[in-house]
Amino acid sequence: PNSDSRDAAAMMLFLAFLLGAVRVEGFLQATRTPPPSAPASVATREAPLPELPTISPAEEAAATASPPPSTSLGALRFKRYAGLATSPLVPSLPRPALLDGSHAGDYGFDPLGFAKTPAELHTLMESEIRHCRLAMLCAAGWPLSELRPAFDGALLADGGRAPSVLNGHLFDSPSLLVVLAVFAEVAFRDLAAIRTPKQNTLYGHIHSRDYAEIADEWPWGVAGDLDFDPLGLYGIVANDAVGRKVMRDLEINHGRVAMLAVLAYVLLEATTGKPVVDLTPWLFANF
């Protein structure tokens, strides 16, 4: 096309844009200031105002005594399952009274009734988070040991499988020395964490403030707080109580998936006699 037709097209586009802007501005003005209504009649002006409903003193006292829950960002919502009779995870099962949604990883699911008191619940939560962390390390280290075997595969079991109770070679030398060293390191750090009160950890005073609302019934702090966060990732989602709980939820959910993955590793290798990296090459082909 020649320059005249291009100029005409540009002019038409400009006019269309201008017309659209005028329409949008008119719409915004209409929404901001509604058009004036017709003048009210004399009868309407002189009509008495309707009587407002009266509030009894009991209703007024109840309204002031029970303010609505806070919805501001950063405030934890405790006992969010208190009104539910069934488990949010499996609605066909009843919800245990202790699992009210106040803690990370709580989905109201304990069909065997392991936790009967708050103290037992805290102990089980501490145990679970430790198993979750070990399982996440194992879920990554197991296939890595088969893909990149150290010491020319001297630490592996038969067939290039990772050493385990069912695969064997776990307590043979030199694997036994590695196992003892790992367990000694974990036990040393765990004992140091047990001796450190939760209020004196890196985030202990912050957790005390986050859980101040239920401090009387839950004095143990956050399960899994081992006074360890060298990279400062705890507040990566948000540096408030909600962001910290989200990180705890993510950790325990990933740990639960890792425990299932490690169980699958164990059963697959024990029944087939082959490394898991050979059984699932589509997962490890690029490594």
Side-chain angles (χ1 to χ4, degrees):
N2 54 30
S3 59
D4 294 337
S5 61
R6 286 197 299 267
D7 295 341
M11 182 61 67
M12 292 178 65
L13 288 174
F14 174 75
L15 292 176
F17 173 78
L18 184 62
L19 180 61
V22 171
R23 288 177 178 270
V24 170
E25 180 63 24
F27 171 76
L28 294 177
Q29 290 293 337
T31 55
R32 291 181 189 131
T33 55
S37 56
S41 61
V42 176
T44 304
R45 293 194 190 102
E46 296 178 354
L49 295 175
E51 295 183 0
L52 296 176
T54 59
I55 301 177
S56 64
E59 293 176 343
E60 185 177 1
T64 52
S66 303
S70 174
T71 57
S72 62
L73 183 63
L76 285 178
R77 181 185 174 189
F78 297 102
K79 301 182 180 182
R80 53 197 175 108
Y81 300 151
L84 299 179
T86 59
S87 168
L89 184 65
V90 184
S92 59
L93 296 176
R95 179 188 65 83
L98 284 177
L99 303 182
D100 55 12
S102 297
H103 305 286
D106 180 3
Y107 297 101
F109 182 76
D110 184 17
L112 299 181
F114 288 119
K116 296 179 175 58
T117 65
E120 290 180 356
L121 177 61
H122 173 258
T123 300
L124 291 173
M125 289 171 61
E126 290 280 4
S127 177
E128 183 184 27
I129 192 61
R130 282 164 169 77
H131 282 79
C132 284
R133 289 165 178 170
L134 289 174
M136 286 188 283
L137 293 174
C138 184
W142 187 301
L144 185 62
S145 67
E146 297 176 346
L147 291 169
R148 300 288 186 269
F151 306 108
D152 295 328
L155 300 179
L156 296 180
D158 297 337
R161 297 174 298 166
S164 67
V165 174
L166 297 182
N167 288 348
H169 203 60
L170 183 63
F171 301 108
D172 299 338
S173 180
S175 298
L176 179 60
L177 298 177
V178 177
V179 172
L180 292 177
V182 171
F183 273 85
E185 177 66 18
V186 172
F188 174 78
R189 292 186 176 275
D190 210 26
L191 288 174
I194 292 174
R195 295 192 184 101
T196 304
K198 290 293 179 67
Q199 293 81 2
N200 298 337
T201 62
L202 179 63
Y203 296 103
H205 64 289
I206 298 177
H207 290 154
S208 299
R209 186 172 66 245
D210 293 346
Y211 279 76
E213 185 177 335
I214 58 172
D216 293 337
E217 56 188 282
W218 191 265
W220 301 284
V222 170
D225 183 6
L226 300 183
D227 199 19
F228 182 78
D229 185 21
L231 299 180
L233 299 178
Y234 196 27
I236 193 172
V237 175
N239 194 19
D240 54 25
V242 173
R244 288 185 284 273
K245 186 175 183 296
V246 168
M247 288 296 289
R248 297 195 296 274
D249 277 321
L250 290 173
E251 181 184 29
I252 198 166
N253 288 331
H254 281 80
R256 288 167 176 171
V257 173
M259 287 190 284
L260 295 175
V262 172
L263 178 61
Y265 294 171
V266 172
L267 296 178
L268 285 173
E269 293 199 354
T271 54
T272 64
K274 297 180 180 179
V276 69
V277 293
D278 293 343
L279 295 172
T280 55
W282 60 88
L283 290 177
F284 306 104
N286 296 327
F287 296 94

